[in-house]
Amino acid sequence: MLKFTFTKGIGLEVDGIYVADFDVQVKKIWYHHKLSTKSHENVEYEIVATTIDGSMLETRKVRRLSQLSFFELWPKIVDANLSNKQRKLLETRLQQSCESADRIDEYSVEENGLYHLDNNTTIYVAGDVVFENNNPKVQIKVDPSVSEIKWESRVPENMKICTGKVQEYLNVSKGVSEILFAATLLAVAKPFFIEAGFNPSVCINLFGKTSTYKTSLIKAFSYTKDFSKQMASLINDRKTTVIKKISTNYVFPFVLEDFHPGATGYDYQRQLTIIDSSVRYVENHEHSAVLFITSEFLDGTESLQNRILQIETKNVNLQILSQIQKDRYLSTIVFDFLKKIFSNWKTVIQDIKQQCRDLQKTGERIRIDDASLFLQVVAYL
């Protein structure tokens, strides 16, 4: 095998014979993986050129080492007027350095969720939050359509503050807050339930008279900067738009806002159609959001009502509600919960299986019982 050496001020040599005033070698090998239903792999090589003074030219990525056309990207190398022999020697240099180059696995993530990669690495993606087990030879590239969902600030000065803040969320509307809080945590924990063999297709209708702070209460349990991405209007949005939003908000809560039972004719039926389609989508597609609905009351078919957990807003403590809307600590609470279950994901999955077995009822059960079961398991976690 030829021995290549590069010395500052001298240049590249092969077996002690001068070749050129610069060195070209493969610094890293990148394996591009698409984490989606259309998985495929593209290999690219990262090429580094070092000039005689020791400085490096801009790094280039190429797909094939057998062609030297990529030298055209570097004017300094083109101007060197290499001979065919020098080009052949540089090609050999690239091929040899490729054999000893570091392998870096780069995963292009196009959807939220939990992923087990082929190198014993587990990652969890939720908008602009990415958890991974700190493998230096793994790089995660999140698609902009996913990372555009931004979390609120999630690093308070003192994590102990969050203990008291959890109690505030549970007390803002006693009897209701516990369910909303558990459902919010269920959204981020949903991938772990799916790993355990369950699809927690939980849909909750938060109903109450006008001006009972239904929407305000829901917003208090949101933790992203732009809540509009997790919300759709039953009056103004189309069914296809709503379904698409529910599908892209996997691991997040999603709200269908303001069912109007007083609407008539087409408008009334249109609302029910959107709700029914949304509920069925959540039930039939694991990778979908946990669904919330706000309404004065939910009218319609009995089968639809029997698949939705219905909760009435009551006794909302406005002082606590105003405080938690101002503090915005929920993002930190959810983040800390997610961090803990991710770092122990194998144990969490076993616990979910065990708790579901322990809470499982015998005989015929309706879907609302399933929702209660999953919310209890989250409370346990």
Side-chain angles (χ1 to χ4, degrees), residues 117-374:
L117 313 184
D118 56 8
N119 51 12
N120 297 320
T121 300
T122 299
I123 65 171
Y124 182 101
V125 179
D128 67 335
V129 167
V130 179
F131 288 98
E132 58 181 295
N133 59 357
N134 298 320
N135 187 333
K137 293 191 176 182
V138 171
Q139 295 190 9
I140 309 300
K141 180 181 178 182
V142 180
D143 190 273
S145 64
V146 174
S147 59
E148 69 179 3
I149 300 178
K150 309 292 186 183
W151 285 49
E152 289 279 0
S153 175
R154 51 191 179 275
V155 187
E157 294 180 2
N158 188 348
M159 286 297 295
K160 292 182 180 179
I161 295 176
C162 289
T163 303
K165 295 300 177 181
V166 169
Q167 199 59 47
E168 288 184 7
Y169 279 95
L170 296 178
N171 289 338
V172 66
S173 178
K174 292 185 177 179
V176 175
S177 295
E178 291 92 336
I179 297 174
L180 296 180
F181 187 76
T184 299
L185 297 182
L186 175 63
V188 296
K190 190 172 181 180
F192 301 93
F193 280 84
I194 294 172
E195 289 274 330
F198 303 96
N199 175 24
S201 53
V202 175
C203 305
I204 297 173
N205 175 39
L206 185 64
F207 71 95
K209 296 180 180 179
T210 303
S211 301
T212 52
Y213 305 99
K214 298 183 294 294
T215 301
S216 296
L217 193 57
I218 287 287
K219 286 185 176 181
F221 284 87
S222 68
Y223 48 91
T224 54
K225 290 183 178 180
D226 185 2
F227 186 55
S228 63
K229 297 183 185 298
Q230 280 79 50
M231 178 179 284
S233 169
L234 285 165
I235 299 297
N236 300 319
D237 286 317
R238 299 174 60 185
K239 182 177 73 175
T240 52
T241 302
V242 172
I243 297 300
K244 183 177 180 180
K245 283 188 172 183
I246 292 174
S247 67
T248 57
N249 276 280
Y250 175 48
V251 310
F252 289 102
F254 187 82
V255 181
L256 285 178
E257 187 182 24
D258 216 10
F259 172 75
H260 286 276
T264 57
Y266 172 79
D267 290 336
Y268 173 76
Q269 191 59 46
R270 179 175 175 276
Q271 292 181 94
L272 286 181
T273 300
I274 292 177
I275 294 174
D276 185 64
S277 299
S278 300
V279 171
R280 292 182 187 278
Y281 185 87
V282 171
E283 289 175 349
N284 295 319
H285 295 80
E286 293 179 335
H287 296 173
S288 56
V290 169
L291 185 63
F292 294 84
I293 304 166
T294 62
S295 64
E296 290 187 11
F297 65 88
L298 185 57
D299 197 2
T301 61
E302 182 180 354
S303 63
L304 178 59
Q305 295 193 39
N306 282 345
R307 300 196 329 264
I308 298 175
L309 184 61
Q310 305 209 49
I311 314 164
E312 182 178 6
T313 55
K314 53 186 177 181
N315 302 323
V316 177
N317 188 314
L318 295 182
Q319 183 177 356
I320 297 178
L321 179 60
S322 299
Q323 189 62 43
I324 62 177
Q325 286 176 327
K326 177 182 177 181
D327 291 342
R328 303 294 295 172
Y329 270 99
L330 188 66
S331 57
T332 300
I333 295 168
V334 175
F335 183 84
D336 191 54
F337 171 74
L338 180 53
K339 181 172 65 176
K340 285 184 169 59
I341 62 175
F342 175 79
S343 60
N344 299 281
W345 66 270
K346 290 183 179 179
T347 303
V348 167
I349 291 170
Q350 291 302 317
D351 284 352
I352 290 172
K353 291 179 179 178
Q354 185 60 50
Q355 287 298 310
C356 285
R357 284 195 292 265
D358 293 344
L359 293 171
Q360 204 72 265
K361 297 178 182 178
T362 57
E364 186 177 352
R365 295 162 42 246
I366 58 177
R367 292 179 177 88
I368 292 178
D369 286 332
D370 289 330
S372 301
L373 182 148
F374 294 131

